[in-house]
């Protein structure tokens, strides 16, 4: 037991990589400055933000999620395999260097909003090992860096860091596309918080009033004006996308998803550890069209981002020739069911070189002890 405790303490004390320290310096922040995280389920990414010396949170880096489970929408009960959506707080007591999943921290589900809506369950984590039953599962190497970033911020005096979890990037275009989804009223609440954060760079002061998320005004009147202006502008853009004929969709999942970065690695035969329910990934992220596109959005094969930026921008977008094929130099990954997605601009330094260092002749990994987990592919090893 003493040996296990020492191993846990050692993992929990791994340093922040030098490359990430250099990013901090470039963004005018330090390891002990407060931290904030934002998760996006559909894009399968966790972003890390740091408070810089000007007093504003700035983007530091993004980590691809190896596995999340469930579907888009909030977690509501124990055992539903849903990864949560909402605004959570993570304090020192939620950090676990002795986790069975290498390292982990508890996101804080259920929060006051979840409890107000009858939410049940606990121990919803960001952890290592690519297996999820309601958690955000990363590789061990990734979670070691995320854990170190959070640890140093908490030791620097931050009492708890905010963990914002979203179904997808909360753009006006996405809000128009998902306008007919059963969760849209809840997502509009999340959108208000997302707009506020992006306008002000301030951690959200969140409460729950009459079963809804409520956000306290910024203490800086100038920032409060920025927040109000951004949210009004985004609402107008959502309306413009709908007016110009945005399709309404609902994205379905067999059981969660995975960042395309890992899908590409697995197709090459790389071993990233045990992945829960790999068969479900073939049916991840299928768009069910509830209302087809029309007008400009139908003619363009999708709504141009210029829509909502004003009549001139919309007219210019309508006059552009349709581009059916991507540029030759645009990296693309072929996913299951003949679907296509671009390679995300994440930082592979968090993943290499460990996945490519296996010796030839190493035996195949044993069956996982994690419920629902199994080796993804026969072992294909690289020098």
């Amino acid at each position: 037991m003493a040996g296990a405790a020492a191993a846990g303490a050692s993992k929990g004390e791994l340093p922040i990589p030098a490359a990430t320290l250099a990013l901090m310096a470039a963004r005018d922040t330090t390891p002990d400055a407060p931290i904030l995280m934002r998760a996006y389920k559909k894009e399968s990414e966790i972003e890390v933000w740091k408070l810089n010396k000007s007093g504003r949170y700035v983007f530091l880096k993004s980590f691809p999620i190896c596995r999340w489970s469930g579907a888009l929408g909030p977690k509501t009960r124990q055992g539903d395999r849903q990864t949560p959506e909402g605004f959570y707080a993570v304090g020192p007591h939620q950090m676990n260097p002795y986790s069975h999943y290498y390292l982990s921290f508890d996101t804080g589900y259920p929060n006051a909003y979840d409890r107000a809506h009858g939410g049940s369950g606990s121990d919803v984590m960001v952890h290592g090992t690519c297996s999820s039953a309601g958690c955000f599962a990363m590789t061990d190497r990734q979670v070691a860096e995320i854990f170190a970033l959070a640890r140093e911020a908490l030791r620097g005096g931050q009492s708890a860091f905010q963990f914002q979890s979203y179904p997808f990037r909360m753009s006006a275009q996405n809000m128009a596309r998902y306008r007919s989804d059963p969760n849209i009223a809840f997502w509009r609440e999340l959108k208000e918080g997302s707009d506020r954060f992006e306008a002000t760079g301030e951690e959200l002061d969140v409460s729950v009033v009459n079963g809804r998320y409520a956000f306290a005004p910024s203490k800086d009147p100038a920032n409060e004006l920025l927040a109000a202006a951004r949210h009004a502008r985004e609402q107008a853009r959502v309306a413009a996308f709908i007016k110009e004929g945005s399709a309404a969709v609902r994205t379905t999942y067999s059981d969660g998803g995975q960042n395309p970065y890992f899908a590409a690695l697995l197709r090459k035969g790389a071993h990233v550890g045990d992945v829960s329910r790999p068969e479900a990934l073939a049916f991840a992220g299928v768009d069910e069209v509830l209302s087809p596109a029309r007008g400009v959005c139908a003619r363009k094969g999708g709504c141009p981002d210029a829509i909502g930026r004003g009549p001139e921008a919309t007219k210019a977008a309508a006059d552009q020739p349709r581009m059916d094929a991507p540029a030759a130099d645009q990296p693309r990954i072929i996913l299951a069911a003949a679907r296509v997605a671009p390679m995300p601009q994440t930082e592979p330094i968090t993943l290499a070189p460990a996945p490519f260092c296996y010796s030839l002749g190493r035996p195949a990994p044993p069956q996982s002890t994690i419920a629902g987990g199994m080796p993804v592919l026969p072992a294909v090893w690289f020098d």
Side-chain angles (χ1 to χ4, degrees):
M1 290 182 65
S10 176
K11 289 185 297 181
E13 294 300 325
L14 290 170
I16 297 172
T20 303
L21 293 174
L23 282 176
M24 287 186 196
R27 288 154 173 73
D28 201 23
T29 187
T30 59
D32 60 353
I35 197 171
L36 183 146
M37 297 186 194
R38 309 180 91 196
Y40 302 95
K41 289 162 63 171
K42 189 174 190 293
E43 292 82 6
S44 297
E45 292 185 359
I46 291 179
E47 294 178 348
V48 174
W49 294 65
K50 292 281 287 181
L51 193 70
N52 72 1
K53 293 178 181 176
S54 72
R56 183 183 179 93
Y57 277 93
V58 293
F59 173 75
L60 182 65
K61 66 187 303 183
S62 179
F63 294 86
I65 297 172
C66 195
R67 193 73 170 90
W68 59 272
S69 57
L72 301 185
K75 182 175 181 65
T76 58
R77 59 181 174 80
Q78 177 77 37
D80 62 4
R81 295 187 65 83
Q82 283 288 100
T83 48
E85 295 170 11
F87 304 101
Y88 299 89
V90 181
H93 65 286
Q94 292 160 253
M95 304 287 289
N96 184 11
Y98 308 106
S99 174
H100 291 298
Y101 303 102
Y102 193 69
L103 293 167
S104 67
F105 63 79
D106 190 322
T107 60
Y109 174 91
N111 63 13
Y113 181 97
D114 302 318
R115 291 191 296 272
H117 291 267
S120 62
S122 62
D123 302 322
V124 177
M125 306 284 184
V126 173
H127 62 63
T129 305
C130 195
S131 178
S132 171
C135 297
F136 298 92
M138 319 298 287
T139 64
D140 292 355
R141 189 179 183 92
Q142 287 177 294
V143 82
E145 181 172 351
I146 294 171
F147 191 95
L149 289 165
R151 178 196 68 217
E152 293 306 310
L154 293 171
R155 287 180 178 172
Q158 189 175 16
S159 59
F161 67 86
Q162 191 165 84
F163 187 86
Q164 303 177 4
S165 182
Y166 298 104
F168 40 73
R169 295 195 178 277
M170 307 304 285
S171 66
Q173 193 164 5
N174 276 338
M175 296 302 292
R177 282 173 54 79
Y178 287 95
R179 65 187 181 274
S180 298
D181 190 284
N183 295 297
I184 190 61
F186 170 65
W187 290 342
R188 287 182 181 127
E189 296 178 43
L190 302 188
K191 168 69 168 166
E192 183 179 350
S194 176
D195 286 348
R196 176 171 289 275
F197 174 77
E198 291 177 10
T200 67
E202 297 175 347
E203 181 177 316
L204 300 174
D205 186 352
V206 188
S207 60
V208 179
V209 179
N210 297 326
R212 292 176 53 87
Y213 278 118
F215 307 96
S218 172
K219 295 177 181 177
D220 183 339
N223 276 350
E224 184 58 25
L225 289 174
L226 289 174
R230 179 183 174 88
H231 191 53
R233 187 169 62 250
E234 285 290 285
Q235 288 180 306
R237 293 195 68 209
V238 172
F241 278 116
I242 296 172
K243 180 180 178 181
E244 295 294 341
S246 171
V249 306
R250 182 174 183 229
T251 304
T252 61
Y253 292 83
S254 174
D255 185 15
Q258 180 180 65
N259 190 283
Y261 184 86
F262 291 105
L265 288 181
L266 293 172
R267 277 193 299 276
K268 293 178 181 178
H271 179 64
V272 298
D274 294 335
V275 178
S276 58
R277 299 200 60 194
E279 75 284 355
L281 294 173
F283 306 99
V286 178
D287 282 347
E288 174 188 354
V289 178
L290 304 177
S291 299
R294 55 183 175 76
V296 172
C297 297
R299 294 196 301 273
K300 305 298 292 182
C303 292
D305 188 56
I307 289 176
R309 299 185 189 277
E312 293 301 321
T314 301
K315 182 180 184 302
D319 292 340
Q320 292 283 339
R322 176 172 172 172
M323 300 296 290
D324 290 315
D329 59 350
Q330 181 180 353
R332 297 176 72 81
I333 301 173
I334 306 302
L335 298 179
R339 284 176 288 109
V340 184
M343 174 73 84
Q345 298 301 309
T346 49
E347 298 189 45
I349 191 169
T350 62
L351 305 172
F356 305 104
C357 296
Y358 300 106
S359 301
L360 291 172
R362 178 174 172 175
Q367 173 67 34
S368 171
T369 58
I370 301 170
M374 61 178 288
V376 180
L377 296 170
V380 179
W381 309 112
F382 299 87
D383 285 328

